[in-house]
Amino acid sequence: ANHASISREMSMGAATFIPVPAASLPVVNNSEDFVLDPGDAKLAQKHARWAISALEYDDVNTAIENLQKAIQVLRPYKQG
């Protein structure tokens, strides 16, 4: 989106997204309250796909890096 459309959206009352670092989110331990943020799920999936792609080219280092990034995104949601 270009700057003009962003300004137009804001003037029309569109919701403002404020990013929150994952480290500042509470760790959820109660399975009844467990909700995986859809954005975090997509990010973890993206890193997992990149890891698979790297393995198709025998690039183990990149695969490991991306799996670690996926785990880092998911870690705040770990139960137990």
Side-chain angles (χ1 to χ4, degrees), residues 1-14:
N2 62 33
H3 185 59
S5 68
I6 293 171
S7 296
R8 191 176 335 106
E9 289 172 10
M10 288 181 165
S11 66
M12 293 170 44

Side-chain angles (χ1 to χ4, degrees), residues 11-35:
S11 66
M12 293 170 44
T16 302
F17 175 72
I18 301 171
V20 177
S24 67
L25 295 174
V27 175
V28 179
N29 288 322
N30 185 341
S31 62
E32 294 175 13
D33 296 332
F34 176 77
V35 177

Side-chain angles (χ1 to χ4, degrees), residues 17-28 35-37 39-41 43-44 47 68-78:
F17 175 72
I18 301 171
V20 177
S24 67
L25 295 174
V27 175
V28 179
V35 177
L36 178 58
D37 179 83
D40 286 340
L43 183 57
H47 286 299
Q68 288 173 332
K69 288 176 183 178
I71 290 168
Q72 184 178 353
V73 170
L74 297 173
R75 185 161 282 136
Y77 299 97
K78 183 178 179 186

